[in-house]
Amino acid sequence: MANVPDKPTLDGIENRWAAQWESDGIYAFDRSATREQVFSIDTPPPTVSGSLHMGHVFSYTHTDLIARFQRMSGKAVFYPMGWDDNGLPTERRVQNYFGVRCDAGQAYQPDFQPPFRGEPPKDHQTIAISRPNFIELCDELVAIDEQVFEDLYRRLGISVDWSLLYATIDERSRRISQRAFLRNLARGEAYSQEAPTMWDVDFQTAVAQAEMEDRERPGAYHKLAFHQLDAEGAPTGDDVVIDTTRPELLAACVALVAHPDDERYQPLFGSTVRTPLYGVDVPVMAHRLAQPDKGTGIAMICTFGDTNDVTWWRELNLPMRSIIGRNGRILADAPDGVNPEMYAAIASQTVKAAQRTVVEQLTESGELIGEIRTITHPVKFYEKGDRPLEIVTSRQWYIRNGGRDADLREALVARGSEMTWHPGHMRHRYENWVEGLNGDWLVSRQRFFGVPIPVWYRLDDRGEIDYSSPIVPAESDLPVDPSTDVPVGYTADQRGIPGGFIGDPDIFDTWATSSLTPQIAACWEEPGANLWDRVFPMDVRPQGHDIIRTWLFSTVVRSHHEFGQAPWTNAALSGWILDPDRKKMSKSKGNVVTPIALFDQYGTDAVRYWAASARPGVDTAFSEEQMKVGRKFANKLLNVTRFVLGFGDVDTSITPTPSMVDTWMLARLDAVVDEATRALAAFDYARALERTEEFFWWFCDDYVELVKGRAYEAVGPEAAQAARRSLLTALDVIQRLLAPFLPFATEEAWSWWKSGSIHQTQWPTATLAAGAGDAGLDNHAGLDHVCEVMARVRRAKTEAQTSQKTPVTRLVVSGPAAILEAVRIGQVDLTEAGTIEVFEYLESDTLDCTVQL
C-alpha cells in the first residue's frame, strides 16, 4: 500500500487539501460540455455585510453535497459563487465602519479619507459626504468583506469553480441588470407612476411587499364622533361613531366605509358626515373589505394609514389628502378644506407626537367618546427597519408580477408547477404568496449603493420633468449611471436646466438584481462567454424557505417575462437554524454563532456532518454535540482505513473463492449504494448520509471484527485474499459514498492508497455482489444472524468481566434450521473473532446462544 501514516489525524488537512484542489482545478467547470452533460446550480449569492454566521455554513453545505454527488455521477457541474454586495445592508455597514453618511447634495472630494476605519472613536458624529465618495467607500469595504467570505467558503470546502465568481455590483451585473430592465420597459412589463408607497422613514426609501413583516406592537382604540349632515349639508345632531388606532390621521380622512351588507349603515350609504376637529365633509361609502365585526363596523378611510386605505382610495376613486411626509413628520401645510388652526397644532410633529396632540384636542372638544382601550396588534415594518412603515406618495418604478393582473398571476402560479420542489410542500408557500399579492413589484429604491435605473427624463421649458417618455440608452452603451452619464443628443451642461434633461436618481432594489442570478452567473448575452446555452435553464435553485417570496419568486418573474419559462427544474429548500430554545438564529436576536471557532475545534467535516444531518426544508437545532459525533465519524474513517490497509496488498495471482459472509456484506452495501443514490438524486442528502453512516458503523463494529482473523491469514492465504478483497472493495465504496459529506477526511484517506482525487472518481453503483441469497435467506438476513451470535459471545465475555480474547470452550447455538445454516456458513469467521473452540447446534423456534468460558 501507499503512504499510510502511523498516526492519522484530521488536524490541518483542510488548508492542505483546499490548496491542492485549487491547484489541480478539481472543481473547474468543463466549458466544452453539452447541455445534456451539465448539472447547473443557481448558487445563492450571500450578502457580504457584517459577520459570518452558521446560516452561511448550513445551507451552502446542502448545495455542495448535491454538487459533489452530481460531479461524481459524471456531470460537468456548473457551480458558481457570487457576492450580493449592494443595497441597504452594505450602506448601513459602511456608515458604521467609516463614520459617514451619504448626502447627494455634497460635492465630491478627491482623495477623501474617512474619519476612521473600524471601531468608531467615542462620541463620534457621522459626517456627510457625496454620493461618489460614499460609493468609493462601499467598494472598499465590500472588497474586504468578500475576501473574508471567500476564505470561509474555501474552509468549508464547497466545490465551486472560483473562476466563475461575480458580484451583484460589478460591471457585468450592472450591464445585465440594466439590459433586463430595459427589455421589461420596452415590453410594457416595467412602468413608473406616482402612487402610495410603503416607506421607511429612517432609511428614506420605498419598501416592497416582500420586504415587509408584521410585528406585534402596543396600540389603542379611540372612539371618534363624526357628525351626520342632512341633504343641505346642515348637522342633524346625530353622530356616526368609528373606532381607530390612528387618530393622528384624522386630517387625512377622505371617507367613511362599511360593508355593503351591514344593515346598521346601509341607510347612511351616499350621505355625508363632517370630521371632528377639522370640519371636512366626507362621504359614507360601501366596500366589501370593511369588517362588520371590527370596532364599530365602520371605518375612516385616510390617505394613507394601511394597505386597505390604498385599496379603498383607488377603487372608490377618492381624493388625495396626504399629511405624512417622507421624514415621518406631519406636513407643515394643511390639506385643502382642513381647518388650518386645528391642523397647526400637529404640523411638523412626529407621528407619535401628533397622535398625543390630536387625542388632547378630541378630548377638549368632546368628540372622543369613552375610554381609550389599549390593544396589541400587528404593525407593518421593513424587515431591516426599526420604526413602523408609513404610506407616502412618491414616484416609483414597478415590474408587473400578477398583483394587479389575474392572468399574469395565474401564469406565474403555473410556472411553479414546472419545477420539482424539495420538499414538495414548499410549492404551496410559493402559490400562496403569488395568489396573495395585492400590487406589482416595486423595484426602485431611494438609496445610493446599487445598480442605477438606466433612464433620463426631459425637462420642459419650465424645468418640469416629463415622466411620460423616459430617455433610455442603447444596450451597447450599458452599464450607465444617469447621475453622471449624459444621454445621446444632450450635453453635460444641459443637466438640470429647462429644455435639458435630468437623470433618474434611484437605484434598483437588491432583489431586482439578485432576481437575475442565472443570467449574471451564466453571462447572458455576454460576448465570448460560451456559457448560457450550456447551463440554462438551470437544474437547481438551492435557497432558504424564508425567501421563497423574494428571491425565488422574483427570479421566476424575470425568467417568465424574458424567456417564457421557469429558470430551473428543481427548487431545493433549506430550513432555519434554531438556537437551544428553538428560536431562529439571527443577528437581530443576538443568538448567532460564528463558524470559524467551530471549524478550529471540531474540524470542517464535523460541522458539515451536522449540517448534512438536517432534513431538506426542516428547521434544525444548532448542536455542538452533533459536531462531536461528526468528528468521531471522520476520525473513525481514517482509523478504519489505516486498519484495513494494514492487512496488506491483494495478491493478484490468487483468485479466491468468495466467502458467503463477504458476499452478504457486499450485497448489503449494494442496497446502501442504491438507496443513497436515489436519495441524493432526489436532493435528500440527510437520508443518504443516514443510510451510509448506519452501514459504516456496522461495517467497523461488526464486519471488520468478524473477518479480521481471516484477513490476517488465520485460516490460510486463499481465505485471507477473499477477506482482503471484500474489505478493500467495501472501503473503496464507503469512501466514495462519504466523499460529498466528509470531503477532507475522504480525500485524506483516499490518498493513502489511490491516485487522483476521490472527488473526480465515479460514484459507486450497486453491482458489488452476486449470489447473496444462495443460502435461501432473504434480504441477506444470514449475516445478521452471524453478527447476532458474535454479539452474544461478546456480551457474555463482558458480563463475565473477562477479556474478549478469552477462549469460548463451548458455544451452543439454537434456532430454526435456516438460521443455523447461516451460522454454520459464518462459523469460520466466528471461530476466529470469538476464539471459539467447539460449536454445537440445536434446532428450536428462536435464536439463542449458550456460551461456556
Side-chain angles (χ1 to χ4, degrees):
M1 288 299 170
N3 184 26
V4 182
D6 293 333
K7 294 181 179 180
T9 180
L10 297 170
D11 296 335
I13 65 173
E14 290 96 345
N15 290 338
R16 175 159 50 85
W17 283 117
Q20 190 68 48
W21 294 335
E22 181 68 16
S23 174
D24 294 345
I26 298 300
Y27 308 125
F29 175 63
D30 181 2
R31 291 174 181 253
S32 68
T34 65
R35 182 64 189 89
E36 292 72 24
Q37 298 169 324
V38 169
F39 184 87
S40 53
I41 302 171
D42 185 14
T43 318
T47 302
V48 285
S49 58
S51 61
L52 303 160
H53 56 79
M54 288 304 293
H56 296 103
V57 169
F58 186 65
S59 58
Y60 286 81
T61 295
H62 299 162
T63 307
D64 189 56
L65 300 173
I66 301 303
R68 289 179 177 277
F69 164 71
Q70 291 290 341
R71 189 179 292 109
M72 293 178 72
S73 298
K75 290 289 189 178
V77 176
F78 179 77
Y79 191 10
M81 176 54 81
W83 307 129
D84 190 3
D85 46 15
N86 60 16
L88 286 171
T90 299
E91 290 187 23
R92 175 182 279 180
R93 177 152 160 73
V94 167
Q95 290 166 358
N96 295 334
Y97 188 86
F98 293 111
V100 299
R101 59 182 173 83
C102 187
D103 182 347
Q106 296 290 316
Y108 176 70
Q109 299 180 44
D111 302 319
F112 170 77
Q113 291 298 316
F116 59 86
R117 286 176 167 84
E119 288 295 323
K122 187 177 181 180
D123 300 327
H124 172 76
Q125 298 295 317
T126 59
I127 64 171
I129 62 173
S130 71
R131 182 172 182 263
N133 287 130
F134 187 78
I135 290 174
E136 287 174 350
L137 294 179
C138 291
D139 289 332
E140 176 184 332
L141 189 54
V142 296
I144 296 171
D145 288 344
E146 285 169 3
Q147 188 58 57
V148 173
F149 271 61
E150 181 174 336
D151 292 344
L152 168 80
Y153 285 117
R154 287 185 182 274
R155 178 72 184 271
L156 180 58
I158 62 171
S159 56
V160 302
D161 180 348
W162 287 101
S163 71
L164 300 172
L165 184 67
Y166 68 88
T168 56
I169 199 61
D170 65 23
E171 182 175 335
R172 186 209 321 168
S173 296
R174 284 183 281 127
R175 180 167 52 248
I176 289 174
S177 183
Q178 290 183 340
R179 178 192 303 147
F181 171 77
L182 291 177
R183 295 189 184 184
N184 290 138
L185 181 60
R187 292 191 297 261
E189 297 148 2
Y191 64 92
S192 73
Q193 70 174 16
E194 186 86 15
T197 307
M198 298 301 292
W199 188 267
D200 188 286
V201 299
D202 293 320
F203 285 110
Q204 288 288 288
T205 188
V207 175
Q209 183 179 351
E211 298 170 303
M212 302 176 206
E213 62 184 25
D214 286 335
R215 300 179 193 171
E216 290 292 323
R217 286 293 184 269
Y221 269 122
H222 307 74
K223 281 189 176 180
L224 313 185
F226 282 69
H227 314 303
Q228 293 186 42
L229 305 177
D230 61 22
E232 284 72 37
T236 65
D238 296 323
D239 291 334
V240 178
V241 178
I242 65 102
D243 251 337
T244 181
T245 60
R246 301 205 62 179
E248 72 275 13
L249 293 179
L250 184 58
C253 181
V254 292
L256 298 188
V257 64
H259 195 277
D261 298 332
D262 193 330
E263 296 179 354
R264 293 172 296 174
Y265 300 108
Q266 284 176 343
L268 293 178
F269 294 150
S271 68
T272 303
V273 295
R274 183 164 292 158
T275 65
L277 294 185
Y278 303 111
V280 179
D281 295 349
V282 298
V284 181
M285 310 186 79
H287 195 280
R288 64 190 182 283
L289 288 181
Q291 297 175 259
D293 58 347
K294 184 176 181 180
T296 60
I298 189 166
M300 63 177 183
I301 303 174
C302 301
T303 54
F304 296 92
D306 58 24
T307 54
N308 274 345
D309 281 341
V310 177
T311 301
W312 286 325
W313 169 78
R314 182 179 292 120
E315 295 186 4
L316 297 175
N317 196 28
L318 295 168
M320 180 76 72
R321 194 171 287 134
S322 296
I323 65 168
I324 298 178
R326 294 188 179 193
N327 60 359
R329 291 180 175 271
I330 304 299
L331 297 175
D333 297 326
D336 290 343
V338 171
N339 184 319
E341 293 181 4
M342 298 301 291
Y343 184 86
I346 62 171
S348 302
Q349 286 189 338
T350 64
V351 169
K352 284 187 176 181
Q355 183 176 106
R356 290 192 295 269
T357 299
V358 169
V359 170
E360 291 172 1
Q361 290 177 307
L362 288 167
T363 303
E364 292 173 2
S365 69
E367 293 167 308
L368 181 66
I369 300 173
E371 297 295 323
I372 298 173
R373 306 183 324 280
T374 58
I375 60 168
T376 299
H377 62 153
V379 178
K380 296 290 183 188
F381 279 75
Y382 174 42
E383 59 189 2
K384 296 181 175 65
D386 298 320
R387 285 200 280 176
L389 293 171
E390 298 293 350
I391 300 179
V392 303
T393 301
S394 61
R395 178 165 289 277
Q396 303 289 344
W397 281 98
Y398 300 84
I399 291 178
R400 302 185 192 279
N401 67 354
R404 297 182 181 177
D405 182 336
D407 290 340
L408 177 56
R409 181 164 57 248
E410 184 178 345
L412 291 171
V413 168
R415 290 287 176 227
S417 65
E418 294 177 11
M419 64 188 84
T420 303
W421 296 75
H422 310 276
H425 69 268
M426 290 293 176
R427 177 180 163 188
H428 299 303
R429 293 197 186 187
Y430 170 85
E431 292 174 346
N432 290 340
W433 172 255
V434 179
E435 290 168 350
L437 289 168
N438 56 29
D440 284 330
W441 176 18
L442 190 155
V443 297
S444 50
R445 292 294 181 272
Q446 292 65 56
R447 299 301 301 177
F448 314 107
F449 189 56
V451 178
I453 294 178
V455 300
W456 299 267
Y457 306 102
R458 296 175 180 84
L459 299 178
D460 63 20
D461 293 340
R462 296 173 299 170
E464 298 291 329
I465 300 174
D466 177 10
Y467 290 108
S468 63
S469 55
I471 305 168
V472 298
E475 287 191 8
S476 58
D477 293 335
L478 301 176
V480 299
D481 184 347
S483 69
T484 56
D485 295 327
V486 177
V488 173
Y490 292 85
T491 58
D493 59 4
Q494 291 179 283
R495 184 184 296 273
I497 66 172
F501 72 94
I502 191 170
D504 194 303
D506 294 344
I507 63 171
F508 286 120
D509 161 37
T510 188
W511 294 115
T513 301
S514 295
S515 63
L516 301 166
T517 49
Q519 291 92 314
I520 294 169
C523 302
W524 171 53
E525 295 193 6
E526 294 288 288
N530 193 31
L531 282 175
W532 179 253
D533 292 338
R534 301 177 190 276
V535 303
F536 188 85
M538 293 191 164
D539 290 281
V540 63
R541 154 64 69 81
Q543 65 164 72
H545 63 61
D546 54 325
I547 51 174
I548 288 174
R549 72 188 196 281
T550 49
W551 189 37
L552 190 148
F553 175 59
S554 64
T555 310
V556 171
V557 169
R558 304 305 286 277
S559 183
H560 173 80
H561 285 321
E562 188 66 41
F563 310 114
Q565 66 181 101
W568 340 273
T569 53
N570 293 277
L573 288 307
S574 294
W576 287 338
I577 304 175
L578 306 177
D579 68 10
D581 295 326
R582 307 296 296 177
K583 295 178 181 177
K584 179 190 175 185
M585 279 192 171
S586 68
K587 287 186 286 187
S588 63
K589 291 184 173 67
N591 60 353
V592 297
V593 176
T594 55
I596 297 300
L598 297 170
F599 287 156
D600 292 339
Q601 183 174 0
Y602 301 111
T604 297
D605 283 343
V607 179
R608 288 174 62 100
Y609 169 85
W610 158 75
S613 301
R615 297 291 179 195
V618 176
D619 297 342
T620 302
F622 172 78
S623 172
E624 288 192 54
E625 291 302 314
Q626 190 83 340
M627 294 174 196
K628 292 176 184 177
V629 173
R631 184 169 181 84
K632 178 183 176 182
F633 187 23
N635 263 320
K636 187 67 174 180
L637 177 65
L638 297 187
N639 290 327
V640 77
T641 298
R642 180 177 181 274
F643 187 72
V644 170
L645 296 181
F647 292 128
D649 293 329
V650 170
D651 188 343
T652 57
S653 67
I654 299 176
T655 306
T657 301
S659 163
M660 183 58 70
V661 168
D662 300 334
T663 302
W664 279 337
M665 180 276 292
L666 293 174
R668 179 171 293 187
L669 184 51
D670 264 346
V672 173
V673 169
D674 183 64
E675 189 167 356
T677 302
R678 285 187 282 107
L680 282 167
F683 300 87
D684 192 351
Y685 38 80
R687 178 60 178 165
L689 174 59
E690 179 183 55
R691 289 292 288 117
T692 304
E693 183 183 9
E694 180 183 44
F695 177 87
F696 172 79
W697 287 113
W698 171 86
F699 174 80
C700 295
D701 296 342
D702 288 356
Y703 178 76
V704 173
E705 292 298 315
L706 180 65
V707 305
K708 68 180 181 182
R710 178 157 50 96
Y712 278 132
E713 298 194 355
V715 292
E718 184 172 331
Q721 290 300 312
R724 291 176 188 176
R725 286 173 186 267
S726 296
L727 283 164
L728 291 172
T729 297
L731 183 64
D732 173 290
V733 172
I734 288 169
Q735 289 180 351
R736 285 185 285 152
L737 286 174
L738 290 176
F741 304 95
L742 311 176
F744 294 104
T746 52
E747 188 76 289
E748 176 74 5
W750 186 264
S751 71
W752 299 343
W753 66 304
K754 300 279 190 176
S755 60
S757 172
I758 191 173
H759 303 298
Q760 289 189 325
T761 59
Q762 183 179 352
W763 183 256
T765 55
T767 57
L768 303 173
D774 290 350
L777 296 165
D778 294 335
N779 301 319
H780 328 305
L783 191 52
D784 288 333
H785 302 317
V786 174
C787 291
E788 176 62 22
V789 171
M790 185 174 69
R792 295 192 184 205
V793 170
R794 286 176 174 176
R795 190 182 311 126
K797 292 181 180 182
T798 299
E799 291 171 353
Q801 298 183 338
T802 187
S803 167
Q804 289 296 325
K805 294 182 180 180
T806 301
V808 175
T809 59
R810 180 169 172 265
L811 174 65
V812 180
V813 182
S814 58
I819 292 179
L820 298 183
E821 179 60 25
V823 178
R824 287 190 180 95
I825 290 172
Q827 182 171 319
V828 170
D829 290 322
L830 285 169
T831 298
E832 295 302 321
T835 320
I836 302 169
E837 296 177 348
V838 176
F839 274 84
E840 291 184 15
Y841 297 95
L842 296 174
E843 286 199 25
S844 65
D845 293 335
T846 58
L847 175 64
D848 198 7
C849 295
T850 302
V851 182
Q852 294 181 0
L853 301 175

